[in-house]
Amino acid sequence: MRIRKSLIVFAVLVAALLPAAAQANKITDAIQKRYDSLSSFQTDFQQELTNAASGSVEKRSGKIWFKQSLVRWETHKPEKELLVVGQNVVWNYFEAEKLAMKYRSTQVFNSKTMIRFLSGKANLKEDFKVEEQGTENGLVKLRLVPKEPEPSMVLAYIWVDTKTNLLGRVLIVDFFGNGNQVSLTNLVLDKKAEPRLFEFTPPTGTQIKDNTKQ
């Protein structure tokens, strides 16, 4: 699947003076509860894609909108790209290539992509072994080991800002050791998101690759 965008946004309540295992369980419960209560948000993002073989790092930035199970992910730099997760259909549009790729939403939600996390479809307790790893630069760090790893995700880390009880950064590692790290800034909660943000019509002249029948 060519969907390259990823992100995961969670909130967490941290209990003090608990053993690591109990701490992790309490955090995952709080994440799920907070996520279920989150209606919408918008945020800026900075993304770093690291190639394990070459050591090269590609940096990307843009903005994300979330509303319940709907997502709009706009990459502004270094090139424009749009990912729209609707109720039934996902569009991934590459402006410079005049190419739009179409998927069923279930194709995204049934695999371990960050979009699945972002849309609140992931269950940390059921899908992962979660380990609390202390703090790093003022953020609580959790290590997520998938109970059923996939090539796109064999390990993940999330860092939580306890002042806002929301995720500040996430790192996903794939089977080849490549890293996908996303940091969130300027997060705004429960801001009204227009329905048009989660709709997409390919511009005239766009080549469409329909993957919905796969």
Side-chain angles (χ1 to χ4, degrees):
M1 186 176 293
R2 191 179 174 181
I3 294 180
R4 297 178 289 183
K5 295 301 173 293
S6 332
L7 179 47
I8 177 176
V9 175
F10 292 124
V12 65
L13 302 173
V14 180
L17 304 177
L18 291 175
Q23 178 92 327
N25 287 334
K26 195 170 185 68
I27 291 173
T28 56
D29 287 341
I31 287 172
Q32 205 70 51
K33 182 178 179 180
R34 180 66 178 90
Y35 207 95
D36 289 343
S37 69
L38 185 62
S39 61
S40 64
F41 71 80
Q42 69 179 47
T43 182
D44 296 331
F45 76 88
Q46 295 78 43
Q47 184 177 25
E48 293 186 0
L49 302 172
T50 303
N51 186 296
S54 66
S56 63
V57 178
E58 178 186 352
K59 295 185 178 182
R60 306 166 67 89
S61 62
K63 186 177 286 290
I64 297 169
W65 290 262
F66 166 87
K67 182 180 180 181
Q68 297 176 340
S69 62
L70 307 177
V71 180
R72 182 184 182 90
W73 185 318
E74 290 185 4
T75 297
H76 300 155
K77 297 179 180 179
E79 58 186 22
K80 292 184 178 181
E81 183 177 344
L82 175 64
L83 180 70
V84 176
V85 180
Q87 292 287 359
N88 301 306
V89 175
V90 175
W91 287 99
N92 199 194
Y93 176 59
F94 305 90
E95 183 174 309
E97 302 175 44
K98 295 184 178 180
L99 172 66
M101 307 188 75
K102 185 179 180 181
Y103 303 89
R104 299 188 313 277
S105 295
T106 53
Q107 288 174 284
V108 176
F109 296 143
N110 289 341
S111 62
K112 289 184 174 65
T113 62
M114 282 195 192
I115 293 300
R116 185 170 180 236
F117 285 96
L118 179 61
S119 303
K121 301 296 184 180
N123 187 306
L124 296 184
K125 260 190 172 180
E126 292 183 3
D127 296 341
F128 298 91
K129 177 182 177 183
V130 184
E131 303 172 0
E132 197 274 327
Q133 296 198 318
T135 60
E136 185 175 303
N137 297 324
L139 302 178
V140 173
K141 182 180 180 181
L142 296 179
R143 182 173 186 261
L144 310 179
V145 180
K147 294 179 180 179
E148 296 182 4
E150 295 180 1
S152 61
M153 180 189 292
V154 297
L155 183 64
Y157 294 90
I158 58 176
W159 289 260
V160 182
D161 183 346
T162 58
K163 294 180 181 178
T164 61
N165 294 327
L166 293 170
L167 185 77
R169 178 161 51 113
V170 60
L171 170 63
I172 283 182
V173 181
D174 70 15
F175 175 79
F176 301 99
N178 301 314
N180 184 350
Q181 180 172 275
V182 178
S183 299
L184 305 180
T185 57
N186 303 321
L187 184 65
V188 179
L189 301 179
D190 299 320
K191 183 174 181 179
K192 183 178 179 180
E194 297 295 334
R196 63 178 179 80
L197 289 172
F198 310 103
E199 301 172 354
F200 176 76
T201 300
T204 302
T206 299
Q207 177 188 354
I208 299 174
K209 184 174 181 181
D210 191 343
N211 299 286
T212 58
K213 294 180 173 58
Q214 293 183 4

